Amino acid sequence: PSTQQYIIRSFSTTTTVKSTPVGGSGRLNGKVAIVTGGGDGVGKETSLLFAKEGAKVLVVDIDAAKGKSIVTQIKDNGGNAYFFTADVSKANQVKEMIDVAEKNFGKLDILFNNAGIMISEDDDAISTTEEVWEKTMNVNLKGVFLGCKFGIPALLRNGGGSIINTASFVALMGAATPQIAYTASKGGVLAMTRELAIIHAKQNIRVNALCPGPLRTELLDKFLNTPEKRNRRLVHLPMGRFGQASEIAKGALFLASDDSSYVTGTDFLVDGGLCAAYVTAE
Ligand code: NAD
């Protein structure tokens, strides 16, 4: 890889980075990507992978410490990244996020609306409070809407691009271990994604939903905090294990890259066969 140096100018800092990251195959060379929730879990693994594959990555998270540490890792590997703090449920912050990507990197090609929350008090319809409902909807559904609202004009200015919205397998199947607000928010992401894909299909913008199965990330670990709770789910998983965030990142890479040039409006499952299963093997 080349070690040629160049300068990125940003609002607050000037950073020198190497021009070619270590170890990738260049599937995203020349692309600019935003990854929301990029500080942990799926967003973290995807930010690292996108950068390794040659993208310039704006890592966005509400947690600045986590997000900045991912940017440091990317730069240590010779990649190009910048961090921006934003709460995806706040319109002004999401608008600024898009502006920062365009100002720092000159354009936007890939928007990964991935940030999401699952609140432990989220339960069935009887016991879930309005507060839990509204908070979940604001981040998981409105956050994706705002990303698209401000991101699509940037993609149009660029002549097109790829949007990936993180939904979930729970948008496709019901569970007797409910998180009703979370499930409803992910169903909304799936429906909204499908419609956006159709609206923008002739404008060279692809919009896909990425539907992970249950993963070993902080989001699920906090919720499944006993062996009983974990085993109640594991019995339904064909492979007998939870997924890894890095396995979802590879799905995001496919949807982000030109390899998926004829894929739009899909609910792209990366779930270890969960949604195909009736009875799993002993
Ligand atoms: P995670 O909790 O490991 O990471 C989420 C990141 O998003 C964190 O860094 C957090 O600080 C950030 N974040 C939270 N609220 C934010 C906000 N308002 N604005 C900006 N950033 C915010 O979660 P994860 O497991 O990596 O989940 C990523 C996505 O995948 C979510 O949309 C989640 O719903 C979805 N998902 C996860 C699973 C799973 O089992 N973990 C399964 C299906 C779908």
Side-chain angles (χ1 to χ4, degrees), residues 37 40-42 61-62 86-88 114 166-167 182 186 212-213 215 217 219:
D40 212 342
V42 172
D61 207 286
I62 200 166
D87 175 346
V88 296
N114 163 76
T166 307
Y182 181 86
K186 295 302 187 179
L215 312 172
T217 67
L219 181 135

Side-chain angles (χ1 to χ4, degrees), residues 36-44 60-64 66-67 85-90 93 112-118 138-140 144 165-170 182 185-186 210-222 242-243 245 248:
T36 71
D40 212 342
V42 172
K44 166 185 162 179
V60 176
D61 207 286
I62 200 166
D63 185 326
K66 280 184 175 177
T85 311
D87 175 346
V88 296
S89 68
K90 301 282 188 306
Q93 297 180 29
F112 187 22
N113 289 310
N114 163 76
I117 56 169
M118 189 195 281
N138 279 342
V139 177
N140 292 7
V144 173
N165 296 329
T166 307
S168 168
F169 72 100
V170 301
Y182 181 86
S185 72
K186 295 302 187 179
L210 183 57
C211 297
L215 312 172
R216 287 309 303 265
T217 67
E218 197 176 317
L219 181 135
L220 200 69
D221 281 352
K222 266 197 246 161
F242 294 112
I248 307 306

Side-chain angles (χ1 to χ4, degrees), residues 133-144:
W133 175 271
E134 276 159 18
K135 192 161 185 214
T136 304
M137 286 293 168
N138 279 342
V139 177
N140 292 7
L141 184 53
K142 187 180 167 196
V144 173

